Amino acid sequence: MKKLINQPDSFVRESLAGMAAAHSSLLKVNFEPTFVYRADAPVTGKVAIISGGGSGHEPMHAGFVGMGMLDAACPGEVFTSPTPDQMLAAAKQVDGGAGVLYIVKNYSGDVMNFEMATELARVEDIRVLNVLIDDDVAVQDSLYTQGRRGVGTTVLAEKICGAAAADGYNLPQVADLCRRVNLNGRSMGMALTSCTVPTKGSPTFSLGDREMEIGIGIHGEPGRERMSLKSVDEITEILALSIINDRRYSRTVREWDETQEEWVDVELVNSEFKSGDRVLAFVNGMGGTPLSELYIVYRKLAEICQKHGLQIMRNLIGNYITSLEMQGCSITLLKVDDEMLRLWDAPVKTASLCW
């Protein structure tokens, strides 16, 4: 496949260098170890928020570094988790004395490395908490996860929690809010085509001209079902109803307990959507889908939400959590309250989200 690159091995580094040159007033990039951070970091007295994951999902996460969102992002190589030393270095750079929250997508490598980074940071007297995002209703387990994958709700959590940190919330308050966002968000995606990792040079998987994959992961992981191509309205209905009809979901995750100074198991339970709920509707492109097509998806999604008594209070449409040049989309519905709406509306200025 043709790509605008020099050498595959320099893809991530040169992309980050270009981002730094284009947005020098917003962010800076450190190499060895690699992380992106706010140009004005650290912000004294403010909780710092850090996320990260494999590259190839841009603009997530580096595109969300800036005022009102992330203080730092740790990019790994394409579809490869960042390392603990990246996360620790980022925490040292952006900690303004109020502690650091790691927002972690539920992929085994990300979870393991952010846990190690949490322990390393605490040894160096940096107060760190971590919250897991696991909102993908498509499958219970996948190639890179135990439990549900972390996808679209990650973007929403980064915006809402970034606003809370800017508003003066303390570390436990921001962590509690992030956990609540995760518990109220659900997502599901689909693919019309595969994607090509630069170092591999060939598609991650193959789909026939008249095939699509429902429930695809953002790294090309298998979904629920491969089926014949359907109309956009039919696809939107499959995704939306999988989310709306998703049952109560219970699981156990590991979180750091500051009182006990150790990892503890925490049981989390998502409640079901019900008529009368207020939601934020997020229609996301997977990287190669035109915005015009995403608006067709949103048109049908709005109709489905109205039919099921869900009131769309806010929306986000565009390519925000991608899989390189994959054609496809995902839908995220987040059940919101007045606090979340206020924080969503709060000012944000990053390379990829600004209002």
Side-chain angles (χ1 to χ4, degrees), residues 30-280:
N30 185 86
F31 293 106
E32 297 179 7
T34 302
F35 61 91
V36 182
Y37 62 101
R38 284 178 58 158
D40 60 348
V43 180
T44 303
K46 186 188 82 67
V47 172
I49 299 180
I50 298 175
S51 193
S55 296
H57 305 303
E58 289 77 15
M60 191 186 75
H61 299 273
F64 303 138
V65 171
M67 185 274 293
M69 213 159 173
L70 294 179
D71 291 86
C74 302
E77 291 300 315
V78 175
F79 296 173
T80 303
S81 297
T83 59
D85 65 311
Q86 291 175 253
M87 302 160 187
L88 176 61
K92 289 180 178 180
Q93 179 68 49
V94 303
D95 178 29
V100 175
L101 176 68
Y102 287 147
I103 299 180
V104 187
K105 302 188 305 301
N106 188 32
Y107 296 94
S108 298
D110 290 5
V111 172
M112 177 180 67
N113 289 345
F114 270 107
E115 286 186 0
M116 291 177 61
T118 297
E119 295 172 1
L120 291 170
R122 287 190 163 271
V123 168
E124 302 205 21
D125 295 322
I126 301 174
R127 187 183 179 195
V128 176
L129 294 177
N130 69 322
V131 174
L132 198 68
I133 305 294
D134 58 350
D135 59 313
D136 190 347
V137 306
V139 293
Q140 176 61 37
D141 297 300
S142 187
L143 292 177
Y144 307 114
T145 62
Q146 292 181 331
R148 293 182 170 181
R149 302 173 292 215
V151 285
T153 298
T154 311
V155 176
L156 310 185
E158 290 174 358
K159 168 62 185 81
I160 290 170
C161 294
D167 200 37
Y169 285 44
N170 63 33
L171 181 58
Q173 289 172 331
V174 178
D176 287 343
L177 175 64
C178 188
R179 194 177 299 108
R180 184 153 54 89
V181 171
N182 181 51
L183 289 175
N184 284 282
R186 286 180 171 87
S187 302
M188 190 164 170
M190 59 80 58
L192 298 173
T193 66
S194 182
C195 59
T196 299
V197 176
T199 54
K200 184 180 180 185
S202 60
T204 304
F205 60 94
S206 61
L207 277 174
D209 290 342
R210 301 297 299 173
E211 286 185 316
M212 65 180 188
E213 182 95 16
I214 294 292
I216 195 75
I218 58 174
H219 310 94
E221 307 97 308
R224 279 189 183 180
E225 183 180 359
R226 184 167 294 192
M227 61 178 66
S228 59
L229 186 62
K230 299 185 182 300
S231 70
V232 64
D233 281 2
E234 291 173 302
I235 292 169
T236 304
E237 188 163 18
I238 291 171
L239 299 181
L241 293 184
S242 295
I243 294 168
I244 293 170
N245 295 330
D246 187 54
R247 297 304 180 189
R248 182 179 181 271
Y249 174 57
S250 176
R251 71 282 201 193
T252 300
V253 303
R254 274 166 45 103
E255 293 186 0
W256 185 265
D257 186 297
E258 290 194 295
T259 303
Q260 301 181 48
E261 284 293 312
E262 63 181 5
W263 295 101
V264 298
D265 289 337
V266 178
E267 183 177 5
L268 301 177
V269 181
N270 290 52
S271 61
E272 301 173 7
F273 284 102
K274 63 183 185 300
S275 180
D277 283 341
R278 299 182 296 167
V279 299
L280 188 160

Side-chain angles (χ1 to χ4, degrees), residues 182 328 335 350:
N182 181 51
K335 194 185 308 182
T350 71

